[in-house]
Amino acid sequence: MKNAAKVAFPIPKSEYYYYKTPRSLKSTLKLGHRVLVPIGKRKSIGYVIGFGTPPEDIKLKEILDVLDEYPLFDKKRMSFFKWVSDYYMAPIGLILKAAHPGGLGLNLNKVVKITGHGKALLGSGTLDIVQLQILKALSESSLTISKLLELIEGTTNTVLNKLISRNLVEIDYALNKKSFVKTERFISTSAKCANKELMSVFSKRRPAKAKILEFILNNENVPYEDLKGVFGNVSGHIKWLSENGYIDVAFKEIIRDPYSRLQISNEKPPTLNIDQQMCLKEIGKAIAAKTYSPFLLHGVTGSGKTEVYLHSIQKALDEGRQALVLVPEISLTPQLVGRFKQRFGSAIAVLHSGISDSQRFDSWRHIRGGKIKIAIGARSSVFAPFNNPGIIIVDEEHEQSYKQEESPHYNARDMALVLGKIYESVVILGSATPSVETYSNTLKEKIRYLGLPLRATKSTLPEVEIIDLKKENNKVISERLKEELILNFESKNQSIVFLNRRGFSSVLVCRACGEAVECPNCSIALTYHKTGNSIKCHYCGLNESRFGRCFRCGDKLMEYGIGTQKIEEEIKKILPRAVVARMDRDEVRGKNGLLNLYNRLQGNEIDILIGTQMVAKGHDLPGVTLVGVISADMSLSIPDFRAGERTFQLITQVAGRAGRGEKKGKVLIQTLNPENSVIEFAARQDSVNFLKTELKLRSALGYPPFTRLINVKFTGKRENEVSATARLTRSLASKILGRFPLDSIKILGPSEAPLFKIKNKYRWQLLIKSENQNEIHKFMRGLQKAIRLADFPTNVVVSVDVDPLSFN
Ligand code: ADP
Ligand code: ZN
């Protein structure tokens, strides 16, 4: 049997199954179609990912139906999905599901259906009242189980099971096709209205209708809603005019625009400065060349990167191509969207987690159909179905939010580069604080470096002062910061107080030397566990309960941890009259939470903003002239080799919020480690030298980008099952290790994950490390196969995180 269809399902276990195409569907069925197929006793929706020859010994089932009018993807797109599936070691079905959010209006409902036998028995007396009622209801139409439970009192699963076992009803699967297409009535005049004589008689005889007709004539193709707006209730008139052949009524699809009420400024865009022009020239050449050309656009905060993006997009559009812009979810502000709409009009799709399924569906179809040429969105929009993207932009490329922390664990930043390779596009990774990986790629000449070293407006970078907290008797707010906060409030300027709370669990810090206690094997801060009073390493599993004093100098250790509420209290003591607001995940909830806070800040209603990571993100707040960093060190000591990089990025970004307007900004950084090079580099906003130093360190310690990591995660409700599975996997891994060159693969752990228990589930992890990407993938493939064959408890979930960004 040749050319059977390969059908993939969005389930974690399998890749795909083969199905036979019935003669009736042969001419319709294509790659990229969704199909309805039988699987076991049920039916399911699957994606056709290709055609091929199945193994000879299996008996194929037939495809029941083709569900899409047009295929969802073509061969080229498929090669992208395939890459993502291979690289991130996730079944293709899960990737396809991620790429087609919300099922694009297609769902399968489990329903209960009456059988022939059931129908025959309807009149007889062998049924009790509940059974009879159920059968009666089902004889009219099949119903979902929940509907039955709701409709007929006394229905239980036991009752239903009894009916099923007596073959009176059966379970079936009904397709639920939601139509998301929104249409509106458009009205135009007919040929009859061109007859002048007729019209002049008409206007005398029926003046009201003639007025409406005149309006339609002058505005051709008028939406019905507009007529209602002008003339009030016109339904009777429209009906009459239509019936008498004066007008034509047509239904046309409209594109919903969730940002339609956005105020768009009509300010003239600035003329690019010399640096921006240089960057644009390089990008422009690459766009004209129509080949894969990746760039890093490294520009300090406020250097005008977005301006360069906007011009580059225009160039790609001029070439008849499309543009995809990825931004971290949090920076999808109306401000940014407004800037894009101002330049490119309304044919832009904005994709984020807050939009409805129907809006998403609209965008998806119009991108695929070519009506929409620009999409801006968070990580998952890397799947936007453009057929000819000429430019792909990843703004704030260093942001961790490009990585999906649940399965499939993909990284949209890295996928953007692959997408660019497949579609021969320009890819711009932009940041004020590039990631170590991206910077390292510029040194290897895999990515070209473009720099914007100065702020675009007249404003200069802020002045930075480092405050040694050890001399301040460990006060939350130092005397210097207090002084500046008062001064800034009195001069009616705004301040930001930033709490670096990236560490999730406590660490122990030495009172004397300010260093966090580190693991002797791993160069990673140990986490302090109050329960059990022990320190642990989440890389190698070290667990120490006798510690007491600093390994280095022998002084006393203290637990480290403060919250935003505590800071708010302190500030209110210092400045009781100031309006203080908090921006953190607990405070800023819902769709409009951030927007409201943002508007209050812009309207100068807030004097002091206290916040965590959220305040560091790309906000442009010209009124802010002072930024205080409460504790620069906190994120330095989290148990992660990227701690230094994250700290540098956070401090540099938050410092960049100061002095973006006319007045010069000031930044005060409180720290227990004033001599720490990360803090010093951040204070100088010196990315390049930070990156160079960090690269040396990573190389010496054997961390990415010099090695590749894969984190195998184990999650389950029973602690002993989870740990046993992790240990069993380790022993499987050790066996496979024998097939690889000595020392080419290292296995670390297994150990408890730093967040050992989340929502009552226990978590363990096993880290695989190698200098060779091919080897580590080969190894992991072998391990995955061994895991599939091993008889693991089914309630422990094993997931594979390739290039992990966090080790929580
Ligand atoms: P970034 O994306 O690097 O943070 P933006 O593009 O948002 O920078 O620019 C920061 C500010 O500078 C914005 O208010 C922008 O309008 C302004 N700007 C950008 N380029 C120029 C320029 N060439 N001349 C004057 N102002 C500019
Ligand atoms: Zn360790």
Side-chain angles (χ1 to χ4, degrees), residues 521-553:
N521 309 326
C522 305
S523 284
I524 288 291
L526 293 167
T527 356
Y528 173 60
H529 291 249
K530 222 178 204 147
T531 45
N533 195 36
S534 65
I535 42 177
K536 289 184 187 176
C537 173
H538 295 291
Y539 278 67
C540 68
L542 175 122
N543 186 345
E544 195 68 60
S545 57
R546 276 168 295 144
F547 47 94
R549 287 180 179 263
C550 177
F551 294 153
R552 233 173 286 238
C553 69

Short mmCIF file of all heavy atoms in Angstrom, two decimals, residues 521-553:
data_model
loop_
_atom_site.label_atom_id
_atom_site.label_comp_id
_atom_site.label_asym_id
_atom_site.label_seq_id
_atom_site.Cartn_x
_atom_site.Cartn_y
_atom_site.Cartn_z
N ASN A 521 31.13 22.06 44.14
CA ASN A 521 31.32 21.34 42.87
C ASN A 521 30.89 22.13 41.65
O ASN A 521 31.31 21.81 40.55
CB ASN A 521 30.53 20.03 42.86
CG ASN A 521 30.79 19.21 44.09
OD1 ASN A 521 31.89 19.21 44.62
ND2 ASN A 521 29.76 18.53 44.56
N CYS A 522 30.01 23.08 41.84
CA CYS A 522 29.31 23.62 40.67
C CYS A 522 29.41 25.13 40.47
O CYS A 522 28.89 25.63 39.47
CB CYS A 522 27.85 23.25 40.70
SG CYS A 522 27.56 21.50 40.87
N SER A 523 30.01 25.86 41.35
CA SER A 523 30.04 27.33 41.21
C SER A 523 28.65 27.93 41.11
O SER A 523 28.42 28.83 40.30
CB SER A 523 30.80 27.75 39.96
OG SER A 523 32.14 27.63 40.13
N ILE A 524 27.75 27.44 41.87
CA ILE A 524 26.37 27.89 41.81
C ILE A 524 25.93 28.10 43.25
O ILE A 524 26.29 27.33 44.13
CB ILE A 524 25.51 26.78 41.15
CG1 ILE A 524 25.79 26.68 39.65
CG2 ILE A 524 24.03 26.99 41.40
CD1 ILE A 524 25.34 27.84 38.83
N ALA A 525 25.16 29.18 43.47
CA ALA A 525 24.73 29.43 44.84
C ALA A 525 23.86 28.29 45.35
O ALA A 525 23.04 27.75 44.61
CB ALA A 525 23.96 30.73 44.90
N LEU A 526 24.04 27.96 46.59
CA LEU A 526 23.21 26.92 47.20
C LEU A 526 21.92 27.56 47.69
O LEU A 526 21.91 28.71 48.12
CB LEU A 526 23.96 26.29 48.37
CG LEU A 526 25.20 25.48 47.97
CD1 LEU A 526 26.04 25.16 49.19
CD2 LEU A 526 24.79 24.21 47.25
N THR A 527 20.85 26.80 47.62
CA THR A 527 19.58 27.33 48.11
C THR A 527 19.36 26.90 49.54
O THR A 527 19.67 25.78 49.92
CB THR A 527 18.39 26.78 47.30
OG1 THR A 527 18.90 26.01 46.25
CG2 THR A 527 17.56 27.88 46.77
N TYR A 528 18.80 27.82 50.29
CA TYR A 528 18.56 27.56 51.68
C TYR A 528 17.14 27.05 51.87
O TYR A 528 16.19 27.67 51.38
CB TYR A 528 18.77 28.83 52.50
CG TYR A 528 18.39 28.69 53.95
CD1 TYR A 528 19.03 27.74 54.75
CD2 TYR A 528 17.39 29.48 54.51
CE1 TYR A 528 18.67 27.60 56.08
CE2 TYR A 528 17.03 29.35 55.83
CZ TYR A 528 17.67 28.39 56.62
OH TYR A 528 17.32 28.25 57.93
N HIS A 529 17.00 25.93 52.51
CA HIS A 529 15.67 25.38 52.78
C HIS A 529 15.38 25.48 54.26
O HIS A 529 16.03 24.82 55.07
CB HIS A 529 15.58 23.92 52.33
CG HIS A 529 15.62 23.80 50.84
ND1 HIS A 529 14.53 23.41 50.10
CD2 HIS A 529 16.60 24.07 49.95
CE1 HIS A 529 14.86 23.42 48.81
NE2 HIS A 529 16.11 23.82 48.71
N LYS A 530 14.43 26.31 54.58
CA LYS A 530 14.11 26.55 55.98
C LYS A 530 13.67 25.25 56.64
O LYS A 530 14.16 24.87 57.69
CB LYS A 530 12.99 27.59 56.06
CG LYS A 530 13.25 28.59 57.16
CD LYS A 530 12.15 29.63 57.18
CE LYS A 530 12.66 30.89 57.82
NZ LYS A 530 12.06 32.09 57.25
N THR A 531 12.73 24.58 55.95
CA THR A 531 12.30 23.31 56.49
C THR A 531 13.47 22.35 56.37
O THR A 531 14.00 22.13 55.29
CB THR A 531 11.12 22.75 55.68
OG1 THR A 531 11.44 22.92 54.30
CG2 THR A 531 9.83 23.45 55.98
N GLY A 532 13.91 21.83 57.46
CA GLY A 532 15.06 20.92 57.43
C GLY A 532 16.36 21.66 57.66
O GLY A 532 17.41 21.05 57.82
N ASN A 533 16.31 22.98 57.63
CA ASN A 533 17.48 23.81 57.85
C ASN A 533 18.72 23.26 57.14
O ASN A 533 19.71 22.89 57.75
CB ASN A 533 17.75 23.93 59.36
CG ASN A 533 18.71 25.05 59.67
OD1 ASN A 533 18.68 26.09 58.99
ND2 ASN A 533 19.58 24.85 60.64
N SER A 534 18.62 23.20 55.79
CA SER A 534 19.75 22.65 55.04
C SER A 534 20.02 23.49 53.80
O SER A 534 19.16 24.27 53.37
CB SER A 534 19.44 21.21 54.63
OG SER A 534 18.36 21.21 53.73
N ILE A 535 21.20 23.35 53.25
CA ILE A 535 21.50 23.99 51.99
C ILE A 535 21.69 22.91 50.93
O ILE A 535 22.27 21.85 51.19
CB ILE A 535 22.75 24.90 52.04
CG1 ILE A 535 23.87 24.26 52.84
CG2 ILE A 535 22.37 26.26 52.59
CD1 ILE A 535 25.13 25.07 52.87
N LYS A 536 21.17 23.20 49.73
CA LYS A 536 21.18 22.17 48.68
C LYS A 536 21.70 22.73 47.37
O LYS A 536 21.52 23.90 47.07
CB LYS A 536 19.76 21.67 48.44
CG LYS A 536 19.22 20.84 49.57
CD LYS A 536 17.85 20.29 49.23
CE LYS A 536 17.28 19.61 50.47
NZ LYS A 536 15.92 19.13 50.25
N CYS A 537 22.31 21.84 46.58
CA CYS A 537 22.67 22.20 45.21
C CYS A 537 21.72 21.49 44.27
O CYS A 537 21.53 20.29 44.35
CB CYS A 537 24.09 21.78 44.88
SG CYS A 537 24.47 22.06 43.14
N HIS A 538 21.15 22.26 43.35
CA HIS A 538 20.16 21.67 42.47
C HIS A 538 20.76 21.19 41.16
O HIS A 538 20.06 20.81 40.26
CB HIS A 538 19.01 22.64 42.27
CG HIS A 538 18.28 22.86 43.55
ND1 HIS A 538 17.53 21.89 44.14
CD2 HIS A 538 18.28 23.92 44.39
CE1 HIS A 538 17.05 22.35 45.29
NE2 HIS A 538 17.50 23.58 45.46
N TYR A 539 22.06 21.25 41.09
CA TYR A 539 22.73 20.68 39.93
C TYR A 539 23.22 19.28 40.25
O TYR A 539 22.96 18.31 39.57
CB TYR A 539 23.91 21.55 39.52
CG TYR A 539 23.49 22.72 38.68
CD1 TYR A 539 22.72 23.73 39.22
CD2 TYR A 539 23.87 22.79 37.35
CE1 TYR A 539 22.33 24.79 38.45
CE2 TYR A 539 23.48 23.86 36.58
CZ TYR A 539 22.71 24.86 37.13
OH TYR A 539 22.32 25.91 36.36
N CYS A 540 24.00 19.16 41.36
CA CYS A 540 24.63 17.88 41.63
C CYS A 540 23.98 17.12 42.77
O CYS A 540 24.32 15.96 43.02
CB CYS A 540 26.10 18.08 41.92
SG CYS A 540 26.40 18.93 43.47
N GLY A 541 23.05 17.77 43.44
CA GLY A 541 22.35 17.04 44.49
C GLY A 541 22.97 17.16 45.87
O GLY A 541 22.50 16.55 46.82
N LEU A 542 24.04 17.93 46.01
CA LEU A 542 24.65 18.13 47.33
C LEU A 542 23.62 18.63 48.34
O LEU A 542 22.80 19.47 48.03
CB LEU A 542 25.79 19.16 47.21
CG LEU A 542 26.48 19.59 48.51
CD1 LEU A 542 27.95 19.29 48.46
CD2 LEU A 542 26.24 21.06 48.78
N ASN A 543 23.68 18.05 49.53
CA ASN A 543 22.73 18.41 50.57
C ASN A 543 23.47 18.48 51.90
O ASN A 543 23.97 17.49 52.40
CB ASN A 543 21.63 17.34 50.60
CG ASN A 543 20.51 17.73 51.55
OD1 ASN A 543 20.65 18.62 52.39
ND2 ASN A 543 19.39 17.05 51.43
N GLU A 544 23.56 19.66 52.45
CA GLU A 544 24.41 19.88 53.62
C GLU A 544 23.55 20.43 54.75
O GLU A 544 22.85 21.41 54.57
CB GLU A 544 25.50 20.88 53.22
CG GLU A 544 26.67 20.98 54.16
CD GLU A 544 27.52 19.72 54.13
OE1 GLU A 544 28.04 19.36 53.07
OE2 GLU A 544 27.66 19.12 55.21
N SER A 545 23.58 19.77 55.89
CA SER A 545 22.78 20.32 56.98
C SER A 545 23.66 20.94 58.06
O SER A 545 23.19 21.67 58.92
CB SER A 545 21.87 19.25 57.58
OG SER A 545 22.66 18.17 58.02
N ARG A 546 24.97 20.64 58.01
CA ARG A 546 25.85 21.30 58.99
C ARG A 546 26.65 22.37 58.25
O ARG A 546 27.54 22.06 57.47
CB ARG A 546 26.79 20.27 59.62
CG ARG A 546 26.13 19.54 60.80
CD ARG A 546 26.96 18.36 61.21
NE ARG A 546 26.99 17.38 60.15
CZ ARG A 546 28.06 16.63 59.86
NH1 ARG A 546 29.17 16.76 60.52
NH2 ARG A 546 28.00 15.75 58.89
N PHE A 547 26.29 23.60 58.40
CA PHE A 547 27.05 24.64 57.70
C PHE A 547 27.39 25.81 58.63
O PHE A 547 28.53 26.06 58.90
CB PHE A 547 26.32 25.11 56.44
CG PHE A 547 24.86 25.40 56.65
CD1 PHE A 547 24.45 26.69 56.94
CD2 PHE A 547 23.92 24.40 56.57
CE1 PHE A 547 23.11 26.96 57.13
CE2 PHE A 547 22.58 24.66 56.78
CZ PHE A 547 22.17 25.94 57.05
N GLY A 548 26.36 26.48 59.12
CA GLY A 548 26.57 27.53 60.11
C GLY A 548 27.30 28.78 59.66
O GLY A 548 26.76 29.86 59.71
N ARG A 549 28.52 28.62 59.14
CA ARG A 549 29.32 29.82 58.85
C ARG A 549 29.83 29.86 57.41
O ARG A 549 29.85 28.86 56.72
CB ARG A 549 30.49 29.90 59.82
CG ARG A 549 29.98 30.29 61.18
CD ARG A 549 31.00 30.41 62.24
NE ARG A 549 30.33 30.82 63.46
CZ ARG A 549 30.24 32.07 63.90
NH1 ARG A 549 30.81 33.05 63.23
NH2 ARG A 549 29.60 32.36 65.00
N CYS A 550 30.22 31.05 56.99
CA CYS A 550 30.71 31.25 55.62
C CYS A 550 31.94 30.37 55.35
O CYS A 550 32.86 30.33 56.15
CB CYS A 550 31.07 32.72 55.40
SG CYS A 550 31.77 33.07 53.78
N PHE A 551 31.93 29.65 54.21
CA PHE A 551 33.05 28.79 53.83
C PHE A 551 34.34 29.59 53.69
O PHE A 551 35.43 29.10 53.87
CB PHE A 551 32.78 28.07 52.50
CG PHE A 551 31.66 27.07 52.57
CD1 PHE A 551 30.93 26.76 51.44
CD2 PHE A 551 31.35 26.44 53.76
CE1 PHE A 551 29.91 25.84 51.48
CE2 PHE A 551 30.33 25.50 53.82
CZ PHE A 551 29.60 25.21 52.69
N ARG A 552 34.18 30.84 53.28
CA ARG A 552 35.32 31.66 52.92
C ARG A 552 35.99 32.33 54.12
O ARG A 552 37.16 32.16 54.38
CB ARG A 552 34.87 32.75 51.96
CG ARG A 552 35.66 32.82 50.70
CD ARG A 552 34.98 33.81 49.79
NE ARG A 552 33.77 33.18 49.25
CZ ARG A 552 33.55 33.04 47.94
NH1 ARG A 552 34.42 33.51 47.08
NH2 ARG A 552 32.47 32.47 47.51
N CYS A 553 35.16 33.08 54.89
CA CYS A 553 35.77 33.88 55.94
C CYS A 553 35.32 33.47 57.34
O CYS A 553 35.79 34.01 58.34
CB CYS A 553 35.51 35.37 55.71
SG CYS A 553 33.79 35.80 55.95
#
